[in-house]
Amino acid sequence: MAKTGDRARTTAAPALSSLDFTLDRGSPVPLYHQLAQQLEAAIGHGVLAPGNLLGNEVDLAVRLGLSRPTVRQAIQSLVDKGLLVRRRGVGTQVVHSQVRRPLELSSLYDDLETAGQAPTTEVVRNEVVPAAGDVAAALGVPEGGEVTVLDRLRRTHGRPVALLRNYLPAPLLDLDSARLESTGLYRMMRSAGITLHSARQTVGARAATAREASRLDEEEGAALLTMRRTAYDDTGRPVEYGTHIYRASLYTFDFQLLVRP
């Protein structure tokens, strides 16, 4: 077992010098993969933030007691994932951490908070409007009936990651904007005694419009993931209809696939 705690050189991120890497040389897991996993975890939890420098491969190899090819392979695996970038004359730099979210009935805010992604919310719109046809059909209300529409911009570590639009039956819940900026929608629903039971969800992809790109700090035409969801409570009543878009460069959905007996 090898642990490293030496101070990094001035080109490295201050956070890197405080990381306690644990490399098990007797493990069947290759050392490069162990290092890559620990670096990826540090990026994912914000310990290594976008813009932080890791230093060059020689410095890292000396610090960790590893060969340069081992360190190079670990770094390359994260470069291939888009988490690190090599810059000539600068060294290896953290680009961003990618949000991986399981496909289950949960709040994006709760998932990000659990993953240490430091979520913040900006409420862009919170008002009662007449329900359009698709919204009315999803929520089981008359077309033109009152629904609350909620637009939010979700950030992690200060970076925009998603634009969220949700519709709820107007009498369902008092949606206070200040509270929505400090917690998740589903958490507020649970606090109000609403028990979420199931949902129908569709995931897709498309290109960003100019307005969406501006809000999400992307280029126009950049790839976006889309999600459309109708959630139901434990009585089978539809309580929320959401249409969300996510930066594909920062966000993925995780699936677990099982073989049917």
Side-chain angles (χ1 to χ4, degrees):
M1 188 80 70
K3 289 191 176 182
T4 63
D6 299 336
R7 182 175 298 278
R9 300 194 179 182
T10 56
T11 54
L16 185 63
S17 63
S18 65
L19 289 178
D20 189 16
F21 293 99
T22 301
L23 303 174
D24 185 354
R25 298 178 188 275
S27 169
V29 179
L31 289 171
Y32 87 87
H33 189 65
Q34 294 182 44
L35 175 58
Q37 284 183 316
Q38 293 177 57
L39 285 171
E40 184 172 356
I43 295 170
H45 287 83
V47 178
L48 295 177
N52 281 168
L53 297 173
L54 301 189
N56 60 46
E57 292 168 1
V58 175
D59 292 336
L60 284 173
V62 171
R63 286 191 59 230
L64 302 176
L66 297 172
S67 69
R68 185 176 178 184
T70 296
V71 173
R72 183 186 303 120
Q73 192 172 4
I75 289 175
Q76 186 60 49
S77 69
L78 298 187
V79 170
D80 293 341
K81 288 185 175 183
L83 301 179
L84 299 176
V85 65
R86 289 187 174 99
R87 301 193 186 280
R88 186 181 299 275
V90 176
T92 304
Q93 190 171 26
V94 177
V95 180
H96 56 68
S97 58
Q98 189 174 59
V99 177
R100 291 188 175 89
R101 188 179 179 195
L103 274 181
E104 58 186 37
L105 185 52
S106 60
S107 163
L108 174 60
Y109 187 94
D110 291 343
D111 288 343
L112 294 175
E113 190 174 63
T114 299
Q117 291 284 348
T120 59
T121 303
E122 176 189 347
V123 176
V124 180
R125 184 185 185 193
N126 182 1
E127 61 179 320
V128 175
V129 299
D134 59 332
V135 176
L139 292 178
V141 301
E143 187 169 353
E146 290 189 342
V147 294
T148 300
V149 59
L150 179 64
D151 287 350
R152 292 165 295 162
L153 176 62
R154 182 65 45 76
R155 296 182 175 90
T156 62
H157 302 297
R159 296 164 297 151
V161 67
L163 284 170
L164 314 173
R165 171 166 290 182
N166 297 83
Y167 297 91
L168 296 88
L172 181 72
L173 185 65
D174 180 20
L175 292 172
D176 179 70
S177 292
R179 190 178 174 199
L180 281 164
E181 293 193 341
S182 62
T183 190
L185 175 61
Y186 282 7
R187 193 177 296 180
M188 288 181 64
M189 293 172 76
R190 289 193 297 269
S191 296
I194 299 167
T195 303
L196 295 169
H197 178 267
S198 61
R200 294 183 61 87
Q201 179 166 289
T202 303
V203 177
R206 62 174 174 80
T209 66
R211 186 172 185 274
E212 291 166 345
S214 176
R215 298 304 303 269
L216 291 172
D217 195 21
E218 286 280 9
E219 298 291 332
E220 183 177 357
L224 298 177
L225 289 172
T226 66
M227 190 272 285
R228 189 179 302 270
R229 171 191 283 182
T230 304
Y232 303 87
D233 67 9
D234 56 354
T235 69
R237 173 185 56 161
V239 292
E240 177 250 347
Y241 173 61
T243 58
H244 303 170
I245 57 174
Y246 306 86
R247 298 174 66 179
S249 60
L250 295 180
Y251 196 94
T252 60
F253 289 104
D254 281 346
F255 296 81
Q256 181 179 15
L257 303 178
L258 302 176
V259 175
R260 181 175 294 177

